[in-house]
Amino acid sequence: MNGPDTLRLRHALEQADVPVRPGTDQAVVHAFERIVTGTPEHTTGALTVTTLCTEAGISRATYYRSPLAKIITGLLRTPDSPRPQTDTLTADIARLKKADRTLRSQHAAEQREARATMATYANHIQALSLRNAELEAENAALRGRLQRFDGGLASFPVTP
């Protein structure tokens, strides 16, 4: 369990000249190491004071009485503090859910637009079909009139 994040904690403790006493302090350090390495035993693995206390099996009051509390809390507040995989995955899930909502919204808008376009085309087709039926009826009527006047009319060739 001597990964870079664990070494960072040990280095911070050495810099502050704070010894890790057996018992509570040792439980806190081991809990921190388990959370950072992604192998928590009693929590979800989020790197917070609450989960650290739960993982160590101590109360928050006991944690804050420990000389390690100030150093570990400082590490948790720094932007480059070690984060276990669960925190990263939680952030990824939130980002992906937001992207999913955006894509679903775009897809719904595209579907609405496609339905509106199809409705417009259906109306145009219906209007054109009605006009075509009118023209066919008019053409049939003109042909009928032409047949009645068959003898008196001369037909001219149609030129394109």
Side-chain angles (χ1 to χ4, degrees), residues 7-98:
L7 292 176
R8 185 167 173 236
L9 172 64
R10 293 199 186 273
H11 179 71
L13 292 173
E14 288 172 8
Q15 291 284 39
D17 196 28
V18 175
V20 177
R21 297 174 298 180
T24 302
D25 291 350
Q26 195 170 22
V28 170
V29 169
H30 288 306
F32 183 86
E33 290 172 348
R34 284 194 306 271
I35 291 173
V36 167
T37 58
T39 57
E41 296 174 357
H42 306 290
T43 63
T44 60
L47 191 54
T48 64
V49 171
T50 302
T51 56
L52 185 63
C53 292
T54 303
E55 189 69 29
I58 60 172
S59 69
R60 287 175 63 100
T62 302
Y63 168 77
Y64 283 114
R65 281 193 297 267
S66 169
L68 301 177
K70 184 176 181 181
I71 295 166
I72 292 175
T73 304
L75 285 174
L76 295 177
R77 289 187 180 147
T78 59
D80 59 340
S81 65
R83 296 290 179 215
Q85 187 178 8
T86 54
D87 287 352
T88 306
L89 292 176
T90 302
D92 287 346
I93 288 170
R95 180 183 50 80
L96 290 172
K97 281 183 178 179
K98 183 178 179 181

Side-chain angles (χ1 to χ4, degrees), residues 134-158:
E134 289 172 0
L135 291 174
E136 285 177 358
E138 184 181 342
N139 190 15
L142 289 173
R143 285 182 192 269
R145 286 176 60 190
L146 182 63
Q147 285 178 353
R148 278 185 269 156
F149 295 112
D150 191 33
L153 294 176
S155 63
F156 296 103
V158 178

